């Protein structure tokens, strides 16, 4: 465990860094949502993928975007994150990412893994994919039910192995969304992943957003959250590459214990996204609200939007919430994550105060 004095100093420095980012944002992660089409129907999907169909930009439009970003930014300092839906459903996927690779972008992808045959895995290496995260959300029966996809577990696990067999990727990660129904499978999942040549296991909680709001039986209890954090911390103490995701302020006991960094919501200060239709937004997980759309890449120069818009994300969420303002952790939490913020009631939908601290 980290010394509490050192943690306090680090979090003080982080608060100062966050204030600087509000004035001088640094684009570190650019997400491209290639499609909202999906070959699964996950019970937790925040974007309702497969239910909604949005216009998709063309190959030429993506080339225009990639050219523009390279012209205006130092792309060696930006990670291009490819997501969906299931991005591999696009027939021009390899044309888009082949062009990105040709321009010199570093890029990674999130995928459900179903379409990653040996041939696809090799093509991903050929077009320069550096990192990949594949979702496994429980043991076979649980995973398939959660993702409403018969044989989804077997296909995804084979997809992971196909990536491993290529042997050319910098980081292969498995991501597991923990629910009240699969939390008792974590130990068995660890045993399975421990025998595979993956680089890390990212364990995150289901969020009260999107389709998950239709399934309250999946939401974690206070005891579940406490068990989850202890599970991750104990694995990390033993040197295992298990980590929590980027979301949420966890309090002094768990910050920097269950991931390699302290909490900071990068939406609009380090992170931006471009949707399938070209809308420029902050994080793709944030509720899609008209007032949060900053522009459209087909009409606006991304550079101008990045440096002159995103005002809603360069303030403290905690200033909008009376409960937050009276919280002693306010200067470290800042209202927590934008993706779990209730914009109607100006409060966080998920706060770990009185759960973890």
């Amino acid at each position: 465990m980290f010394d509490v004095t050192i943690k306090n100093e680090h979090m003080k420095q982080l608060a100062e860094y966050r204030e600087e980012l509000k004035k001088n944002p640094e684009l570190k992660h650019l997400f491209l949502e290639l499609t909202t089409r999906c070959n699964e129907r996950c019970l937790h999907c925040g974007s309702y993928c497969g239910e909604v169909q949005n216009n998709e930009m063309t190959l030429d439009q993506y080339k225009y975007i990639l050219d523009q970003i390279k012209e205006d930014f130092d792309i060696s300092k930006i990670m291009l994150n490819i997501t969906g839906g299931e991005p591999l459903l696009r027939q021009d996927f390899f044309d888009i990412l082949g062009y990105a690779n040709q321009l010199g972008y570093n890029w990674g992808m999130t995928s459900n893994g179903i379409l990653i045959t040996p041939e696809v895995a090799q093509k991903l290496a050929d077009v320069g994919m550096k990192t990949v995260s594949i979702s496994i959300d429980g043991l076979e029966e649980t995973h398939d039910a959660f993702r409403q996809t018969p044989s989804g577990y077997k296909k995804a696990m084979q997809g992971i192995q196909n990536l491993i067999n290529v042997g050319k990727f910098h980081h292969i990660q498995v991501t597991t969304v923990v629910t009240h129904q699969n939390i008792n499978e974590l130990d068995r999942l660890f045993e399975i992943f421990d025998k595979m040549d993956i680089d890390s296991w990212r364990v995150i909680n289901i969020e009260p957003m999107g389709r998950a709001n239709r399934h309250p039986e999946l939401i974690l209890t206070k005891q579940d959250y406490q068990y989850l954090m202890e599970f991750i911390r104990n694995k990390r103490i033993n040197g295992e590459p298990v980590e929590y995701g980027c979301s949420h302020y966890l309090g002094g006991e768990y910050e920097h214990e269950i991931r390699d960094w302290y909490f900071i919501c990068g939406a609009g200060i380090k992170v931006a996204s471009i949707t399938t239709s070209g809308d420029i937004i902050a994080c793709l997980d944030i509720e899609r609200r008209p007032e949060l759309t900053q522009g459209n890449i087909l009409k606006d120069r991304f550079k101008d939007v990045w440096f002159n818009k995103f005002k809603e994300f360069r303030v403290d969420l905690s200033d909008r919430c009376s409960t937050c303002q009276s919280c002693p952790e306010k200067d470290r939490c800042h209202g927590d994550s934008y993706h779990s913020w209730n914009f109607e009631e100006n409060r966080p939908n998920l706060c770990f105060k009185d759960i973890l601290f």
Side-chain angles (χ1 to χ4, degrees), residues 335-351:
D336 208 82
S337 299
Y338 273 90
H339 77 271
S340 56
W341 187 258
N342 187 319
F343 289 92
E344 295 294 333
E345 301 178 13
N346 274 322
R347 61 171 179 81
N349 282 324
L350 177 58
C351 172

Side-chain angles (χ1 to χ4, degrees), residues 262-292:
Y262 295 93
F263 169 71
I264 180 173
C265 183
I269 56 175
K270 296 172 67 176
V271 174
S273 306
I274 300 174
T275 70
T276 58
S277 59
D279 283 343
I280 301 170
I281 61 175
C283 170
L284 287 167
D285 288 336
I286 297 171
E287 180 184 355
R288 306 290 173 90
R289 300 172 65 90
E291 69 269 25
L292 298 181

Side-chain angles (χ1 to χ4, degrees), residues 6-165:
I6 295 175
K7 278 189 180 184
N8 288 337
E9 180 58 31
H10 285 174
M11 285 189 276
K12 178 183 176 183
Q13 293 173 8
L14 182 62
E16 294 171 354
Y17 173 58
R18 183 189 283 110
E19 291 303 311
E20 179 60 28
L21 284 175
K22 292 175 187 176
K23 302 172 187 174
N24 298 293
E26 298 178 6
L27 184 64
K28 297 293 186 181
H29 293 275
L30 179 61
F31 287 80
L32 296 185
E33 179 189 56
L34 294 191
T35 183
T36 55
R37 289 177 288 139
C38 195
N39 47 3
E40 296 190 317
R41 294 294 182 273
C42 305
L43 297 182
H44 71 302
C45 183
S47 302
Y48 298 96
C49 289
E51 287 183 51
V52 296
Q53 296 297 327
N54 296 328
N55 293 329
E56 295 179 2
M57 290 185 291
T58 66
L59 170 61
D60 286 342
Q61 287 171 327
Y62 275 107
K63 287 183 175 181
Y64 163 76
I65 292 168
L66 293 167
D67 285 338
Q68 181 192 133
I69 302 296
K70 181 173 182 179
E71 182 177 337
D72 291 342
F73 292 85
D74 179 355
I75 62 171
S76 69
K77 298 179 179 179
I78 298 173
M79 185 67 181
L80 197 63
N81 301 280
I82 306 302
T83 186
E86 173 48 54
L88 287 170
L89 285 173
R90 284 195 65 128
Q91 292 185 346
D92 57 1
F93 175 91
F94 289 103
D95 296 315
I96 295 171
L97 277 306
Y99 189 71
N101 183 51
Q102 178 184 325
L103 291 178
Y105 281 90
N106 293 311
W107 71 274
M109 176 177 70
T110 57
S111 170
N112 59 39
I114 288 178
L115 300 176
I116 302 179
T117 63
E119 294 75 21
V120 168
Q122 183 58 56
K123 289 179 70 175
L124 289 168
D126 292 342
V127 294
M129 186 177 76
K130 300 293 191 299
T131 66
V132 62
S133 185
I134 306 296
S135 297
I136 299 292
D137 294 320
L139 299 173
E140 183 171 359
E141 182 178 349
T142 303
H143 174 95
D144 290 355
F146 184 68
R147 293 187 160 256
Q148 302 188 85
T149 307
S151 301
Y153 177 90
K154 289 181 180 178
K155 293 176 181 177
M157 291 293 281
Q158 186 58 58
I160 295 168
Q161 190 58 52
N162 292 337
L163 292 165
I164 293 169
N165 291 344

